[in-house]
Amino acid sequence: MTAEDGRQRPASTDDVMGEADVAGQPSSDGDHGEAAGGGAGVRGAADAPRREPRGAFLRTLRDLAIIVVIALALSTLLRTFVVRTFSIPSGSMEQTLQVGDRVLVNRMQPNPFGLSRGDVVVFRDPGGWLSTPPGASQGWSLGRGVQDALTFVGLGDSDSQQYLIKRVIGVEGDHVVCSRVGGTITVNDVELDESAYVNPGNASCARTFDVTVPADSIWVMGDNRGNSRDSSAHTSDPGHGTVPVDDVVGRAFVVSWPASRWQGLDAHPEVFADVPDRSDLYEDE
């Protein structure tokens, strides 16, 4: 190795170009700034789509929550003031209604619209009519909790066991009489032909009674007279078997389920067409 070889040799033009080739094409500071800015722009554009789906999901969730709240509010209002559903728990209204039938009940009767003889009505226990008193604890389960929640918003009928359903035979002022078992009923001295709705094989009178319906009350009986604990079975009670109008939830007007049983509920006004009105007995009270 010579002294000349030990001295540092100046870089040649080829060497500089070679280094430039390794580092990449030369560019000005401005070029580097534009590249950096462009990179940031690309990252920002890439980040934006990742944020947008989350915002859209939250907006959709909010809209769904608003729709559910409005639907529940409307359902509750309908149930409270317009119409609700009940399930038939017993055979006291056969053949008109079968066990398990579901009926729609008009909540606008008796208020603001009144009741008429022949109407099928749902009412609260006036006291001692039900074997299980309303509100009695039946335990809790998840299934029962769901049913109760659906009933609360008007989509279920888990509380049907707390109510009764019968046909109105007498309204306030009516004198309703059954003088002998197996006979017929008279209302205001007019004998009724109830064959249109009384369960075949049943007589109109399963028990004897003689009652004048007090003001703001009704006299009700089941269509299956031989298997109905109705007004005639409670004549020894304080109300003598009558039901206060305030206990009436509404008038059942249609069988809504099962589909094979869909039908309107007829009040059979022809049965009571000749019965005179005696509500004027209470007009001055």
Side-chain angles (χ1 to χ4, degrees), residues 12-40:
S12 68
T13 302
D14 292 339
D15 292 335
V16 172
M17 293 183 64
E19 290 174 4
D21 290 339
V22 173
Q25 292 181 354
S27 60
S28 66
D29 291 341
D31 291 338
H32 282 295
E34 291 178 5

PDB file of all heavy atoms in Angstrom, residues 12-40:
ATOM      1  N   SER A  12     -15.810  11.292  -6.753  1.00  0.00           N
ATOM      2  CA  SER A  12     -16.048  11.600  -8.162  1.00  0.00           C
ATOM      3  C   SER A  12     -17.513  11.878  -8.395  1.00  0.00           C
ATOM      4  O   SER A  12     -18.375  11.608  -7.557  1.00  0.00           O
ATOM      5  CB  SER A  12     -15.592  10.413  -9.019  1.00  0.00           C
ATOM      6  OG  SER A  12     -16.453   9.321  -8.773  1.00  0.00           O
ATOM      7  N   THR A  13     -17.763  12.418  -9.552  1.00  0.00           N
ATOM      8  CA  THR A  13     -19.148  12.731  -9.933  1.00  0.00           C
ATOM      9  C   THR A  13     -19.973  11.474  -9.982  1.00  0.00           C
ATOM     10  O   THR A  13     -21.123  11.442  -9.568  1.00  0.00           O
ATOM     11  CB  THR A  13     -19.156  13.421 -11.297  1.00  0.00           C
ATOM     12  OG1 THR A  13     -18.364  14.600 -11.222  1.00  0.00           O
ATOM     13  CG2 THR A  13     -20.583  13.768 -11.718  1.00  0.00           C
ATOM     14  N   ASP A  14     -19.382  10.396 -10.426  1.00  0.00           N
ATOM     15  CA  ASP A  14     -20.110   9.123 -10.498  1.00  0.00           C
ATOM     16  C   ASP A  14     -20.515   8.636  -9.133  1.00  0.00           C
ATOM     17  O   ASP A  14     -21.579   8.081  -8.925  1.00  0.00           O
ATOM     18  CB  ASP A  14     -19.253   8.067 -11.200  1.00  0.00           C
ATOM     19  CG  ASP A  14     -19.065   8.394 -12.681  1.00  0.00           C
ATOM     20  OD1 ASP A  14     -19.912   9.167 -13.204  1.00  0.00           O
ATOM     21  OD2 ASP A  14     -18.138   7.829 -13.277  1.00  0.00           O
ATOM     22  N   ASP A  15     -19.545   8.849  -8.152  1.00  0.00           N
ATOM     23  CA  ASP A  15     -19.865   8.414  -6.774  1.00  0.00           C
ATOM     24  C   ASP A  15     -21.036   9.192  -6.225  1.00  0.00           C
ATOM     25  O   ASP A  15     -21.912   8.649  -5.562  1.00  0.00           O
ATOM     26  CB  ASP A  15     -18.637   8.611  -5.886  1.00  0.00           C
ATOM     27  CG  ASP A  15     -17.519   7.664  -6.264  1.00  0.00           C
ATOM     28  OD1 ASP A  15     -17.856   6.596  -6.841  1.00  0.00           O
ATOM     29  OD2 ASP A  15     -16.368   7.975  -5.929  1.00  0.00           O
ATOM     30  N   VAL A  16     -21.073  10.533  -6.428  1.00  0.00           N
ATOM     31  CA  VAL A  16     -22.158  11.373  -5.919  1.00  0.00           C
ATOM     32  C   VAL A  16     -23.468  10.944  -6.531  1.00  0.00           C
ATOM     33  O   VAL A  16     -24.490  10.821  -5.869  1.00  0.00           O
ATOM     34  CB  VAL A  16     -21.886  12.856  -6.219  1.00  0.00           C
ATOM     35  CG1 VAL A  16     -23.101  13.697  -5.875  1.00  0.00           C
ATOM     36  CG2 VAL A  16     -20.672  13.318  -5.447  1.00  0.00           C
ATOM     37  N   MET A  17     -23.448  10.697  -7.848  1.00  0.00           N
ATOM     38  CA  MET A  17     -24.668  10.263  -8.516  1.00  0.00           C
ATOM     39  C   MET A  17     -25.115   8.911  -8.018  1.00  0.00           C
ATOM     40  O   MET A  17     -26.300   8.640  -7.882  1.00  0.00           O
ATOM     41  CB  MET A  17     -24.445  10.222 -10.038  1.00  0.00           C
ATOM     42  CG  MET A  17     -24.240  11.616 -10.648  1.00  0.00           C
ATOM     43  SD  MET A  17     -24.068  11.553 -12.431  1.00  0.00           S
ATOM     44  CE  MET A  17     -25.683  10.944 -12.867  1.00  0.00           C
ATOM     45  N   GLY A  18     -24.153   8.059  -7.686  1.00  0.00           N
ATOM     46  CA  GLY A  18     -24.500   6.742  -7.145  1.00  0.00           C
ATOM     47  C   GLY A  18     -25.189   6.858  -5.815  1.00  0.00           C
ATOM     48  O   GLY A  18     -26.151   6.167  -5.531  1.00  0.00           O
ATOM     49  N   GLU A  19     -24.667   7.752  -4.938  1.00  0.00           N
ATOM     50  CA  GLU A  19     -25.307   7.944  -3.635  1.00  0.00           C
ATOM     51  C   GLU A  19     -26.697   8.524  -3.806  1.00  0.00           C
ATOM     52  O   GLU A  19     -27.637   8.165  -3.108  1.00  0.00           O
ATOM     53  CB  GLU A  19     -24.452   8.889  -2.788  1.00  0.00           C
ATOM     54  CG  GLU A  19     -23.142   8.268  -2.349  1.00  0.00           C
ATOM     55  CD  GLU A  19     -22.256   9.287  -1.639  1.00  0.00           C
ATOM     56  OE1 GLU A  19     -22.747  10.414  -1.447  1.00  0.00           O
ATOM     57  OE2 GLU A  19     -21.148   8.914  -1.278  1.00  0.00           O
ATOM     58  N   ALA A  20     -26.820   9.442  -4.769  1.00  0.00           N
ATOM     59  CA  ALA A  20     -28.125  10.033  -5.009  1.00  0.00           C
ATOM     60  C   ALA A  20     -29.104   8.977  -5.477  1.00  0.00           C
ATOM     61  O   ALA A  20     -30.265   8.977  -5.114  1.00  0.00           O
ATOM     62  CB  ALA A  20     -28.017  11.154  -6.045  1.00  0.00           C
ATOM     63  N   ASP A  21     -28.571   8.030  -6.300  1.00  0.00           N
ATOM     64  CA  ASP A  21     -29.452   6.961  -6.778  1.00  0.00           C
ATOM     65  C   ASP A  21     -29.937   6.095  -5.635  1.00  0.00           C
ATOM     66  O   ASP A  21     -31.074   5.647  -5.604  1.00  0.00           O
ATOM     67  CB  ASP A  21     -28.709   6.102  -7.811  1.00  0.00           C
ATOM     68  CG  ASP A  21     -28.487   6.866  -9.117  1.00  0.00           C
ATOM     69  OD1 ASP A  21     -29.231   7.858  -9.350  1.00  0.00           O
ATOM     70  OD2 ASP A  21     -27.602   6.438  -9.873  1.00  0.00           O
ATOM     71  N   VAL A  22     -29.040   5.820  -4.655  1.00  0.00           N
ATOM     72  CA  VAL A  22     -29.416   4.995  -3.505  1.00  0.00           C
ATOM     73  C   VAL A  22     -30.436   5.705  -2.654  1.00  0.00           C
ATOM     74  O   VAL A  22     -31.412   5.137  -2.192  1.00  0.00           O
ATOM     75  CB  VAL A  22     -28.167   4.630  -2.689  1.00  0.00           C
ATOM     76  CG1 VAL A  22     -28.564   3.914  -1.415  1.00  0.00           C
ATOM     77  CG2 VAL A  22     -27.257   3.763  -3.517  1.00  0.00           C
ATOM     78  N   ALA A  23     -30.233   7.036  -2.429  1.00  0.00           N
ATOM     79  CA  ALA A  23     -31.132   7.793  -1.559  1.00  0.00           C
ATOM     80  C   ALA A  23     -32.448   8.094  -2.242  1.00  0.00           C
ATOM     81  O   ALA A  23     -33.431   8.396  -1.605  1.00  0.00           O
ATOM     82  CB  ALA A  23     -30.463   9.109  -1.136  1.00  0.00           C
ATOM     83  N   GLY A  24     -32.431   8.020  -3.529  1.00  0.00           N
ATOM     84  CA  GLY A  24     -33.643   8.373  -4.270  1.00  0.00           C
ATOM     85  C   GLY A  24     -33.397   9.606  -5.089  1.00  0.00           C
ATOM     86  O   GLY A  24     -32.363  10.237  -5.000  1.00  0.00           O
ATOM     87  N   GLN A  25     -34.395  10.004  -5.894  1.00  0.00           N
ATOM     88  CA  GLN A  25     -34.208  11.160  -6.734  1.00  0.00           C
ATOM     89  C   GLN A  25     -34.148  12.403  -5.882  1.00  0.00           C
ATOM     90  O   GLN A  25     -34.925  12.571  -4.944  1.00  0.00           O
ATOM     91  CB  GLN A  25     -35.361  11.281  -7.720  1.00  0.00           C
ATOM     92  CG  GLN A  25     -35.383  10.160  -8.756  1.00  0.00           C
ATOM     93  CD  GLN A  25     -36.515  10.346  -9.719  1.00  0.00           C
ATOM     94  OE1 GLN A  25     -37.317  11.242  -9.532  1.00  0.00           O
ATOM     95  NE2 GLN A  25     -36.530   9.497 -10.739  1.00  0.00           N
ATOM     96  N   PRO A  26     -33.190  13.290  -6.196  1.00  0.00           N
ATOM     97  CA  PRO A  26     -33.049  14.510  -5.412  1.00  0.00           C
ATOM     98  C   PRO A  26     -34.272  15.381  -5.595  1.00  0.00           C
ATOM     99  O   PRO A  26     -34.896  15.400  -6.641  1.00  0.00           O
ATOM    100  CB  PRO A  26     -31.792  15.175  -5.984  1.00  0.00           C
ATOM    101  CG  PRO A  26     -31.663  14.617  -7.362  1.00  0.00           C
ATOM    102  CD  PRO A  26     -32.206  13.232  -7.302  1.00  0.00           C
ATOM    103  N   SER A  27     -34.672  16.106  -4.530  1.00  0.00           N
ATOM    104  CA  SER A  27     -35.818  17.033  -4.593  1.00  0.00           C
ATOM    105  C   SER A  27     -35.542  18.193  -3.701  1.00  0.00           C
ATOM    106  O   SER A  27     -34.756  18.107  -2.776  1.00  0.00           O
ATOM    107  CB  SER A  27     -37.100  16.333  -4.160  1.00  0.00           C
ATOM    108  OG  SER A  27     -36.988  15.872  -2.833  1.00  0.00           O
ATOM    109  N   SER A  28     -36.236  19.280  -3.949  1.00  0.00           N
ATOM    110  CA  SER A  28     -36.052  20.488  -3.142  1.00  0.00           C
ATOM    111  C   SER A  28     -36.807  20.367  -1.848  1.00  0.00           C
ATOM    112  O   SER A  28     -37.619  19.465  -1.652  1.00  0.00           O
ATOM    113  CB  SER A  28     -36.566  21.699  -3.930  1.00  0.00           C
ATOM    114  OG  SER A  28     -37.964  21.576  -4.104  1.00  0.00           O
ATOM    115  N   ASP A  29     -36.495  21.311  -0.899  1.00  0.00           N
ATOM    116  CA  ASP A  29     -37.207  21.310   0.386  1.00  0.00           C
ATOM    117  C   ASP A  29     -38.690  21.452   0.158  1.00  0.00           C
ATOM    118  O   ASP A  29     -39.503  20.883   0.868  1.00  0.00           O
ATOM    119  CB  ASP A  29     -36.684  22.448   1.256  1.00  0.00           C
ATOM    120  CG  ASP A  29     -35.255  22.192   1.716  1.00  0.00           C
ATOM    121  OD1 ASP A  29     -34.839  20.999   1.654  1.00  0.00           O
ATOM    122  OD2 ASP A  29     -34.589  23.145   2.129  1.00  0.00           O
ATOM    123  N   GLY A  30     -39.058  22.248  -0.831  1.00  0.00           N
ATOM    124  CA  GLY A  30     -40.478  22.417  -1.138  1.00  0.00           C
ATOM    125  C   GLY A  30     -41.103  21.123  -1.556  1.00  0.00           C
ATOM    126  O   GLY A  30     -42.235  20.816  -1.201  1.00  0.00           O
ATOM    127  N   ASP A  31     -40.348  20.360  -2.356  1.00  0.00           N
ATOM    128  CA  ASP A  31     -40.873  19.067  -2.788  1.00  0.00           C
ATOM    129  C   ASP A  31     -41.117  18.163  -1.601  1.00  0.00           C
ATOM    130  O   ASP A  31     -42.113  17.460  -1.528  1.00  0.00           O
ATOM    131  CB  ASP A  31     -39.889  18.400  -3.758  1.00  0.00           C
ATOM    132  CG  ASP A  31     -39.813  19.145  -5.088  1.00  0.00           C
ATOM    133  OD1 ASP A  31     -40.804  19.876  -5.384  1.00  0.00           O
ATOM    134  OD2 ASP A  31     -38.820  18.974  -5.793  1.00  0.00           O
ATOM    135  N   HIS A  32     -40.177  18.177  -0.624  1.00  0.00           N
ATOM    136  CA  HIS A  32     -40.337  17.337   0.571  1.00  0.00           C
ATOM    137  C   HIS A  32     -41.555  17.776   1.347  1.00  0.00           C
ATOM    138  O   HIS A  32     -42.308  16.973   1.883  1.00  0.00           O
ATOM    139  CB  HIS A  32     -39.090  17.417   1.456  1.00  0.00           C
ATOM    140  CG  HIS A  32     -37.963  16.574   0.937  1.00  0.00           C
ATOM    141  ND1 HIS A  32     -38.022  15.214   0.858  1.00  0.00           N
ATOM    142  CD2 HIS A  32     -36.732  16.938   0.480  1.00  0.00           C
ATOM    143  CE1 HIS A  32     -36.885  14.746   0.395  1.00  0.00           C
ATOM    144  NE2 HIS A  32     -36.069  15.785   0.146  1.00  0.00           N
ATOM    145  N   GLY A  33     -41.803  19.105   1.447  1.00  0.00           N
ATOM    146  CA  GLY A  33     -42.962  19.607   2.182  1.00  0.00           C
ATOM    147  C   GLY A  33     -44.250  19.161   1.536  1.00  0.00           C
ATOM    148  O   GLY A  33     -45.197  18.776   2.208  1.00  0.00           O
ATOM    149  N   GLU A  34     -44.311  19.207   0.198  1.00  0.00           N
ATOM    150  CA  GLU A  34     -45.513  18.783  -0.488  1.00  0.00           C
ATOM    151  C   GLU A  34     -45.764  17.303  -0.283  1.00  0.00           C
ATOM    152  O   GLU A  34     -46.894  16.874  -0.084  1.00  0.00           O
ATOM    153  CB  GLU A  34     -45.397  19.086  -1.975  1.00  0.00           C
ATOM    154  CG  GLU A  34     -45.429  20.580  -2.288  1.00  0.00           C
ATOM    155  CD  GLU A  34     -45.273  20.824  -3.767  1.00  0.00           C
ATOM    156  OE1 GLU A  34     -45.234  19.830  -4.503  1.00  0.00           O
ATOM    157  OE2 GLU A  34     -45.199  21.983  -4.162  1.00  0.00           O
ATOM    158  N   ALA A  35     -44.729  16.514  -0.271  1.00  0.00           N
ATOM    159  CA  ALA A  35     -44.870  15.080  -0.072  1.00  0.00           C
ATOM    160  C   ALA A  35     -45.397  14.796   1.310  1.00  0.00           C
ATOM    161  O   ALA A  35     -46.260  13.957   1.517  1.00  0.00           O
ATOM    162  CB  ALA A  35     -43.532  14.382  -0.306  1.00  0.00           C
ATOM    163  N   ALA A  36     -44.855  15.540   2.317  1.00  0.00           N
ATOM    164  CA  ALA A  36     -45.309  15.328   3.692  1.00  0.00           C
ATOM    165  C   ALA A  36     -46.762  15.720   3.831  1.00  0.00           C
ATOM    166  O   ALA A  36     -47.565  15.040   4.457  1.00  0.00           O
ATOM    167  CB  ALA A  36     -44.435  16.142   4.659  1.00  0.00           C
ATOM    168  N   GLY A  37     -47.082  16.888   3.248  1.00  0.00           N
ATOM    169  CA  GLY A  37     -48.477  17.331   3.321  1.00  0.00           C
ATOM    170  C   GLY A  37     -49.398  16.350   2.625  1.00  0.00           C
ATOM    171  O   GLY A  37     -50.486  16.053   3.100  1.00  0.00           O
ATOM    172  N   GLY A  38     -48.989  15.858   1.483  1.00  0.00           N
ATOM    173  CA  GLY A  38     -49.812  14.887   0.767  1.00  0.00           C
ATOM    174  C   GLY A  38     -50.029  13.624   1.565  1.00  0.00           C
ATOM    175  O   GLY A  38     -51.105  13.053   1.594  1.00  0.00           O
ATOM    176  N   GLY A  39     -49.019  13.168   2.305  1.00  0.00           N
ATOM    177  CA  GLY A  39     -49.144  11.982   3.143  1.00  0.00           C
ATOM    178  C   GLY A  39     -50.159  12.180   4.236  1.00  0.00           C
ATOM    179  O   GLY A  39     -50.952  11.309   4.551  1.00  0.00           O
ATOM    180  N   ALA A  40     -50.123  13.400   4.840  1.00  0.00           N
ATOM    181  CA  ALA A  40     -51.089  13.694   5.913  1.00  0.00           C
ATOM    182  C   ALA A  40     -52.496  13.688   5.361  1.00  0.00           C
ATOM    183  O   ALA A  40     -53.441  13.223   5.996  1.00  0.00           O
ATOM    184  CB  ALA A  40     -50.760  15.050   6.542  1.00  0.00           C
TER     185      ALA A  40
END
